[in-house]
């Protein structure tokens, strides 16, 4: 079985500060891991994904995440927050054979203060 | 290339009525997934379909909920005799092929169901 824990349901940072959103996972198979962003009343947009290979994954909008197998973590970071980054972020782990069957965390709402 | 299209975007139903949510996958995609997002929660997998087949319905409630993806036309998520607890956002996603589980899936913008 697979599960995802996002530490901190709300994170607040100042504009220009480091963004760090935490995600820990458990998986009975080699994990494929994803980060999605959701803006109010919209669908999810893929930020980045880890499947195999390089453990540091770069995504859109300046985000990146590092897969650490020993820590079962896949934390999302961005060096400098922008006001437009304010949104809800979801970490997910593959949960089945289908490309789209994933187990999602409960989400972290990112607030960016001017 | 149009994205995943869902309609209606917003639907209001009275308790006991039926709700039908439609999803047209991206062009060339034959795999469809439905997720439900309750308020203040993450997405929960409901069902995975290919054309004319239900592949995995492990997340579907046992009663009142059904899904189909016919040979022609959109995928339909049907909720019969809706109750207030069905109020949620329902998201559809599609992907090109199953084989490689790292394939990117694309989400629609969701259908918000409100049961009054």
């Amino acid at each position: 079985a697979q599960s995802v824990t996002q530490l901190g349901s709300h994170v607040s940072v100042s504009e220009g500060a480091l963004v760090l959103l935490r995600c820990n996972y458990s998986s009975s198979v080699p994990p494929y891991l994803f980060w999605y962003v959701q803006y109010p009343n919209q669908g999810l947009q893929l930020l980045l994904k880890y499947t195999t290979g390089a453990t540091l994954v770069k995504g859109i909008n300046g985000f990146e995440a590092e897969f650490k197998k020993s820590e079962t973590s896949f934390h999302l970071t961005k060096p400098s927050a922008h006001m437009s980054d304010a949104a809800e972020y979801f970490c997910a782990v593959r949960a089945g054979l289908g490309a789209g069957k994933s187990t999602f965390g409960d989400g972290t709402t990112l607030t960016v203060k001017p | 290339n149009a994205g995943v299209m869902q309609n209606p975007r917003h639907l209001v139903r009275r308790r006991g009525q039926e709700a039908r949510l439609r999803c047209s996958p991206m062009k060339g995609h034959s795999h469809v997934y439905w997720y439900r997002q309750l308020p203040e929660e993450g997405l929960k997998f409901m069902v995975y379909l290919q054309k004319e087949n239900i592949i995995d319905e492990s997340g579907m409630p046992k009663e009142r909920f059904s899904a189909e993806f016919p040979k022609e036309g959109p995928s339909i998520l049907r909720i019969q005799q809706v109750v207030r607890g069905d109020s949620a956002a329902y998201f559809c996603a599609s992907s090109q092929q199953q084989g490689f589980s790292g394939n990117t899936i694309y989400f629609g913008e969701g259908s918000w169901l409100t049961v009054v």
Side-chain angles (χ1 to χ4, degrees), chain A residues 19-74:
Chain A
V19 175
L20 171 60
L21 305 182
R22 292 183 166 89
C23 172
N24 288 89
Y25 71 91
S26 69
S27 178
S28 56
V29 297
Y32 290 171
L33 295 156
F34 309 84
W35 274 101
Y36 291 88
V37 61
Q38 184 182 31
Y39 296 99
N41 298 318
Q42 293 188 24
L44 276 70
Q45 181 181 9
L46 181 67
L47 279 176
L48 48 79
K49 66 180 180 182
Y50 168 78
T51 54
T52 58
T55 56
L56 182 62
V57 180
K58 294 187 185 298
I60 63 172
N61 301 340
F63 284 93
E64 62 183 36
E66 186 171 10
F67 169 61
K68 291 187 177 180
K69 184 177 180 180
S70 61
E71 298 177 9
T72 61
S73 68
F74 191 56

